């Protein structure tokens, strides 16, 4: 049995890598960055421990084979095409390419974007999990390109990373092929992030792509460092505007900027920041524990039942890895987590209610 690269513990590895990048950026003093306090490291270590505890607890549940039904291949293909077409319409209505304009980028995340992402991401991953044919790599890449044109690096990373995770479990690529996929993902993330930043008309950046990555990590850690002394300052506003994102146009990350920096500016704060700013350390620990528990359960379920469950696990794992920097302030991601939660409840109910159905 080969080492499982994409177990829930991969989030812990990403946290460590991201922290290393942030400390490197601060150590180089890029654009005036200063090293974070020791207290930040302690909070991050404690939150990570809560995630590990949740993953460990997931191993105590009984999971086994139950009868499930996959979506038909033509139906899944239709959903993938619908997601791609809706995103293409969204770009057409914007009247330009947001990747090349900061003004268009600020308007790119529309209700059409939300619907297209909600359709495309789960359908392409479930399709690749249930029917891992090479021809379906084409719509995966097409979708990644279309969403890259909106100028948001995170969506491209999630699409390509979740697709890589799905293929890892369904197509079983060799270590060399996996290395190529991950390298291509890293290059795409650096390129899209760099081009998007350079295209913002009201900002001037002189950093190269690698320096920009180090700076972003260091800056985000600096924001988290400040949040520690502001625990509970937003009193639930971040969670409220995250969960009502389809109704309101308020960006929760702009609320982070207002609370931490004193002015409205979309600001990332690590996976630990929003819950700490909203409710305090107990909320942060609870959030990390629940994320670990759900990831752990979905990982075990997809290992037994594959198909649909592999696709959903790949999505929430990829989104959680992205959250290490951005923080859980995206409504669409919580929708995917809700699907994962319902899936876990369904499988556990079947396992514990049907005698002999699970071992």
């Amino acid at each position: 049995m080969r080492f499982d690269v994409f177990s829930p513990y991969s989030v812990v590895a990403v946290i460590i890598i991201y922290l290393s990048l942030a400390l490197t950026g601060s150590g180089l003093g890029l654009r005036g960055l200063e090293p974070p306090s020791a207290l930040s490291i302690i909070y991050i270590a404690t939150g990570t421990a809560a995630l590990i505890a949740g993953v460990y607890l997931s191993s105590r549940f009984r999971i086994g084979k139950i009868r499930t039904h996959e979506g038909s291949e033509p139906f899944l293909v239709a959903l993938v095409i619908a997601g791609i077409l809706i995103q293409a319409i969204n770009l057409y209505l914007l009247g330009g390419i947001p990747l090349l304009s900061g003004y268009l980028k600020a308007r790119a995340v529309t209700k059409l974007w939300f619907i297209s992402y909600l359709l495309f991401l789960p359908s392409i991953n479930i399709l690749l999990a249930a029917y891992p044919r090479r021809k379906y790599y084409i719509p995966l890449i097409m979708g990644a390109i279309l969403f890259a044109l909106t100028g948001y690096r995170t969506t491209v990373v999630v699409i390509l990373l979740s697709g890589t995770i799905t293929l890892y479990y369904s197509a079983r690529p060799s270590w060399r092929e996996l290395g190529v996929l991950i390298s291509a993902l890293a290059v795409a993330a650096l390129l899209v992030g760099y081009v998007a930043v350079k295209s913002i008309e009201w900002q001037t950046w002189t950093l190269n792509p690698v320096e920009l990555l180090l700076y972003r990590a260091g800056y985000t850690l600096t924001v988290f460092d400040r949040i520690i002394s502001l625990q509970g300052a937003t009193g639930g506003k971040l969670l409220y505007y995250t969960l009502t994102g389809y109704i309101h146009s308020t960006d929760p990350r702009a609320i982070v900027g207002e609370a931490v920096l004193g002015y409205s500016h979309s600001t990332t704060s690590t996976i630990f920041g929003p819950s700490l700013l909203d409710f305090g350390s107990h909320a942060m620990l609870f959030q990390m524990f629940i994320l670990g528990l759900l990831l752990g359960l979905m990982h075990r379920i997809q290992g037994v039942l594959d198909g649909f469950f592999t696709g959903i696990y790949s999505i929430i794992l990829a989104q959680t890895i992205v959250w290490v920097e951005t923080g859980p302030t995206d409504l669409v991601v919580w929708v995917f987590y809700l699907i994962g939660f319902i899936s876990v409840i369904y499988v556990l109910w079947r396992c514990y209610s049907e005698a002999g159905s699970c071992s």
Side-chain angles (χ1 to χ4, degrees):
M1 182 180 293
R2 64 176 179 172
F3 176 73
D4 193 346
V5 177
F6 294 114
S7 78
Y9 292 110
S10 62
V11 178
V12 177
V14 171
I15 290 171
I16 294 171
I17 293 170
Y18 190 79
L19 183 59
S20 301
L21 294 173
L23 292 174
T24 301
S26 299
L28 294 173
L30 296 174
R31 294 178 67 94
L33 285 177
E34 296 182 359
S37 67
L39 194 57
S40 290
I41 310 302
I42 294 172
Y43 268 79
I44 289 172
T46 305
T48 304
L51 176 79
I52 293 172
V55 176
Y56 174 77
L57 180 62
S58 70
S59 66
R60 315 307 296 174
F61 289 83
R62 188 178 67 201
I63 305 293
K65 281 284 187 183
I66 60 173
R67 182 175 297 179
T68 58
H69 302 280
E70 302 292 351
S72 70
E73 190 172 357
F75 177 69
L76 290 171
V77 170
L79 289 179
V80 170
I81 293 172
I84 289 174
L85 289 177
I86 293 172
Q87 176 57 12
I89 293 170
N90 181 48
L91 289 170
Y92 174 77
L93 293 177
L94 287 169
I97 301 176
L99 176 63
L100 304 177
S101 169
Y103 295 105
L104 287 177
K105 179 182 176 182
R107 296 163 36 210
V109 181
T110 63
K111 288 180 171 59
L112 282 178
W113 178 96
F114 181 91
I115 294 170
S116 66
Y117 194 62
L118 197 58
L119 281 175
F120 175 77
L121 189 60
S123 56
I124 189 62
N125 276 284
I126 295 169
L127 182 65
L128 288 171
Y131 310 98
R133 314 188 204 286
R134 289 184 181 272
K135 65 181 180 180
Y136 294 136
Y137 297 3
I138 297 173
L140 174 69
I141 295 170
M142 286 179 59
I145 292 172
L146 280 174
F147 280 94
L149 294 178
T150 62
Y152 287 95
R153 175 171 49 101
T154 55
T155 52
V156 183
V157 171
V158 168
I159 290 170
L160 294 178
L161 180 57
S162 63
T164 299
I165 297 169
T166 297
L167 291 172
Y168 174 78
Y169 289 113
S170 62
R172 299 288 176 177
S174 67
W175 289 112
R176 182 179 179 180
E177 291 171 329
L178 185 62
V180 171
L181 286 171
I182 294 176
S183 298
L185 170 62
V187 170
L190 283 173
L191 184 61
V192 172
Y194 184 69
V195 172
V197 166
K198 294 291 285 185
S199 300
I200 298 176
E201 293 86 346
W202 56 89
Q203 292 182 352
T204 302
W205 290 88
T206 58
L207 303 178
N208 63 46
V210 175
E211 288 174 332
L212 181 60
L213 175 66
L214 296 175
Y215 173 77
R216 283 291 300 268
Y219 175 78
T220 299
L221 189 59
T222 299
V223 171
F224 177 72
D225 195 33
R226 295 183 183 182
I227 285 176
I228 292 174
S229 61
L230 297 170
Q231 295 183 39
T234 49
K237 286 175 64 177
L238 290 175
L239 180 61
Y240 172 76
Y241 283 109
T242 296
L243 297 180
T244 59
Y246 193 78
I247 302 172
H248 300 286
S249 58
T250 302
D251 180 5
R253 292 185 189 122
I255 298 174
V256 173
E258 190 173 345
V260 178
L261 307 176
Y263 60 94
S264 182
H265 176 69
S266 186
T267 306
T268 54
S269 57
T270 79
I271 194 171
F272 311 100
S275 55
L276 196 64
L277 188 60
D278 250 355
F279 303 110
S281 57
H282 60 286
M284 180 195 76
L285 294 174
F286 178 74
Q287 168 197 282
M288 297 306 297
F289 176 79
I290 293 299
L291 291 181
L293 179 62
L294 185 55
L295 281 171
L297 287 168
M298 279 300 298
H299 178 252
R300 294 186 61 224
I301 289 170
Q302 71 83 26
V304 175
L305 302 177
D306 54 54
F308 169 86
F309 300 97
T310 295
I312 299 302
Y313 171 72
S314 299
I315 292 170
I316 63 175
L317 176 61
Q319 296 278 12
T320 306
I321 287 173
V322 168
W323 272 354
V324 170
E325 178 191 8
T326 63
T329 53
D330 310 281
L331 171 61
V332 68
V333 184
W334 285 115
V335 172
F336 294 134
Y337 257 98
L338 178 61
I339 294 171
F341 176 76
I342 293 171
S343 300
V344 166
I345 295 300
Y346 171 75
V347 172
L348 290 179
W349 173 72
R350 289 283 301 276
C351 283
Y352 284 90
S353 65
E354 298 177 13
S357 64
C358 291
S359 58

